[in-house]
Amino acid sequence: MVVTTSPSELPRVAGRGSVPGAVQTGRAELGPGTEFSTRAAAEAYIGKVCFKQGPPMLIGAELEWLTAQGEPSASAPRPQLTVLADALGSYAPQSISPDSPADPLPGGSRVTLEPGGQIELSSAPFGTAAELCERLLADTGRLRELLDTRDIHIISASADPVRSPQRLLQLPRYRAMESSFAGIGPFGALMMCNTAAAQVSVDAGVDAADIAARWTALYAIGPALLAAFACSPDLSGAPPGTWASQRMRTWLRLDHLRTRPPVHDWSDPITGYARWALDVPLLCVRPESAGVADWTAPPGATFADWLCGALDEEIGRRPTRDDLDYHLTTVFPPVRASGHLEVRYLDAQPGNTWTVPVHAIDALLATPAVVAEATALAGSTVGRWSEAARYGLADPEIRTAAVALLELATAHAATPVAAAELAAAAARCRQGHAPAAFPESGGGA
C-alpha cells in the first residue's frame, strides 16, 4: 500500500496513495481554481467528494506485488524503470513513461507503480465480485506475460523478506513523503518500498444512515480480517519483533494523525472524516509552477492551517479545490473514503488467493442485516489493530471473531465458488494457519 495519485485519478480505486479503477466519486460544484472561504465550506466539500450516496452496486480491487528481475525470487534485484516501461508498452503508467497512453489492460485494470518498484493492478468497478475476480485474474495473467518478455517477475509477498528498501520512483511526492517520514525510524521507507497489499473498494451506501452502518462495519471487522489474512512475518530492515503482519506494522508506526482517525468518537462518519482530514498535517505542497522539485510542506502544518491563512508567508497562497483533492490522497486510514470506501488493511495474498478477501468483504456487506450481524460478531475485537497485526490468529479472541466472520461470509456468499473459498478460509483460521499455509484455498499460484 503506497501512494501514487493525481487529482484527475481521484474517482478510482486507490493503493498506497495511488488511485486507479473502482467506484466513482461525486464532485461538489466548485470551479477548479476556487478557494474555500471557510472551514465549513471545505468540510462540506469533503463530505460530498468522499462519500458518494447511492445504492451500493459496485466493487473493485487493487493488487500489489513485489517485483524482481532475472530470477523469480525476492532476493533478485529490482527491475530498472526503463525496462519496466519497455515491457509494459502502452500499458505503462506515466510515472515511468511520461508519453505513454497508459491504456487499461483488456479486463479494464490499469497498471501503476509504487516507489520501490512494486507493481499494481487497479481494477475497473464491476457489479459483482465474481466478474471482478474473473477480469482481474485475466489481467494478472496478461501482466505476467508482458513482464516475462523482459525477464521481470511479480512476487506474491506482502513484505520483502530480503532486500533493503530502495526508492526507484524519483517523483517530488515521494521525496516529500520520504522526508516527512524520515523522523520515525525505518518504517516510512519500508512501507513505501518493501510492502504490498490487497485492497477492496465498495460503494459508500445509499444514504447517510447506510453509509454510517457500512463504515462502522468495515472498521469493526478490520482487526479480525487483518489477522485472518495476515501473511507477512518477515520484513528485511524492520526492527526486531515477531509480527503476523509486518506490512501492517509499518502503517501502525507511521504518523498516527494521518493513519489512525478517531472513528469511534464519530457519531457521523461523513462530518467526522471531513473534520479529521482537515486537521491531518500536510504531507506535501504542490507548487504552482511546473518543474519545481521541492514539495516540502511546512513542518507540522495542517490543511486547516493553510485554509485559514496561517501559512500565507510560507506558501504564499491559499489552497484551491485541487489542493484539497490532493491532500485527501495523502491520508492513509485503514478504511479511506474516496467517494467509495477503500479497505486498506489486508496483506497481499499468496498466488491468486486474493479472491478470498474480495469475496469476504462482498458477502459481509451483502445486506443491511448482514452488515449489522458482522458488526456485532466483531464487537470484542474493535480497535485491536496492533494485536491483530502482531499476533494474528494466535490471539484466541481475534481468531474466534475471524472464524465467525468468515462463516457468516460463507453463508451469504454470492456464488458457490465464493462460498467454497470462504469455507476453506474459515477452516484455515480455525486451525490458526496463515494464508501461505493453504495456497490452494483461492485461485491457485
Side-chain angles (χ1 to χ4, degrees):
M1 257 182 232
V2 187
V3 201
T4 49
T5 329
S6 71
S8 64
E9 294 175 312
L10 189 60
R12 308 182 74 89
V13 176
R16 206 160 316 241
S18 73
V19 192
V23 193
Q24 298 292 310
T25 70
R27 271 216 185 267
E29 296 301 321
L30 281 173
T34 303
E35 293 184 356
F36 298 99
S37 57
T38 65
R39 175 175 177 133
E43 289 181 2
Y45 175 76
I46 293 172
K48 291 178 182 179
V49 168
C50 290
F51 295 90
K52 181 186 176 184
Q53 296 188 17
M57 300 171 60
L58 300 176
I59 185 168
E62 180 176 288
L63 308 177
E64 299 175 348
W65 295 272
L66 306 179
T67 57
Q69 187 165 2
E71 296 178 11
S73 165
S75 62
R78 300 168 197 262
Q80 296 179 9
L81 297 184
T82 53
V83 179
L84 265 173
D86 187 43
L88 294 170
S90 68
Y91 306 115
Q94 293 178 354
S95 60
I96 61 171
S97 182
D99 296 327
S100 171
D103 292 330
L105 290 166
S109 305
R110 293 189 181 273
V111 182
T112 53
L113 208 69
E114 299 295 358
Q118 308 98 307
I119 202 162
E120 60 187 31
L121 287 185
S122 298
S123 79
F126 294 101
T128 67
E131 185 178 9
L132 165 66
C133 291
E134 180 183 357
R135 296 290 193 92
L136 203 43
L137 282 166
D139 281 350
T140 299
R142 179 60 179 144
L143 177 65
R144 290 181 186 274
E145 292 173 355
L146 291 168
L147 297 179
D148 281 346
T149 65
R150 298 298 182 272
D151 204 21
I152 298 171
H153 307 280
I154 59 176
I155 300 165
S156 299
S158 47
D160 195 318
V162 178
R163 300 176 298 188
S164 298
Q166 178 188 1
R167 181 165 60 87
L168 302 186
L169 289 181
Q170 301 300 315
L171 304 179
R173 175 185 177 100
Y174 297 129
R175 283 195 291 271
M177 182 180 296
E178 189 174 66
S179 175
S180 177
F181 292 152
I184 57 172
F187 295 102
L190 289 170
M191 176 277 291
M192 291 172 65
C193 301
N194 279 31
T195 63
Q199 295 185 22
V200 183
S201 288
V202 294
D203 282 322
V206 67
D207 54 25
D210 191 36
I211 287 171
R214 289 163 69 87
W215 173 269
T216 299
L218 289 174
Y219 266 94
I221 66 179
L225 292 190
L226 162 62
F229 297 104
C231 56
S232 53
D234 300 311
L235 176 59
S236 178
T242 301
W243 289 71
S245 176
Q246 292 278 6
R247 180 201 62 84
M248 192 63 177
R249 180 191 187 187
T250 67
W251 286 102
L252 294 173
R253 291 298 302 274
L254 292 180
D255 175 4
H256 288 183
L257 295 175
R258 190 177 310 281
T259 63
R260 298 196 196 183
V263 293
H264 301 303
D265 296 336
W266 298 349
S267 57
D268 173 12
I270 298 176
T271 58
Y273 192 88
R275 291 170 183 165
W276 168 74
L278 290 181
D279 290 326
V280 171
L282 293 166
L283 187 64
C284 56
V285 174
R286 296 178 303 159
E288 290 186 290
S289 301
V292 177
D294 186 4
W295 290 18
T296 304
T302 67
F303 196 93
D305 293 331
W306 191 8
L307 187 68
C308 76
L311 306 180
D312 283 356
E313 292 183 353
E314 291 95 329
I315 299 179
R317 62 179 180 86
R318 298 292 175 87
T320 66
R321 185 194 71 178
D322 287 345
D323 291 316
L324 182 50
D325 286 346
Y326 201 84
H327 175 68
L328 294 172
T329 73
T330 69
V331 298
F332 310 126
V335 180
R336 184 165 67 180
S338 298
H340 53 278
L341 305 180
E342 302 169 3
V343 177
R344 302 170 55 86
Y345 46 69
L346 301 167
D347 279 4
Q349 297 296 287
N352 288 330
T353 60
W354 52 265
T355 58
V356 185
V358 167
H359 290 311
I361 296 294
D362 181 58
L364 293 174
L365 297 181
T367 67
V370 177
V371 168
E373 187 173 354
T375 303
L377 286 174
S380 64
T381 60
V382 169
R384 296 185 61 191
W385 298 104
S386 293
E387 295 96 324
R390 182 186 288 272
Y391 303 113
L393 296 171
D395 182 295
E397 192 170 36
I398 292 174
R399 182 173 68 249
T400 297
V403 171
L405 288 169
L406 289 170
E407 289 177 340
L408 177 64
T410 302
H412 295 277
T415 66
V417 171
E421 290 187 10
L422 291 165
R428 168 181 62 75
C429 289
R430 192 177 298 109
Q431 297 173 27
H433 295 302
F438 290 89
E440 72 277 6
S441 64

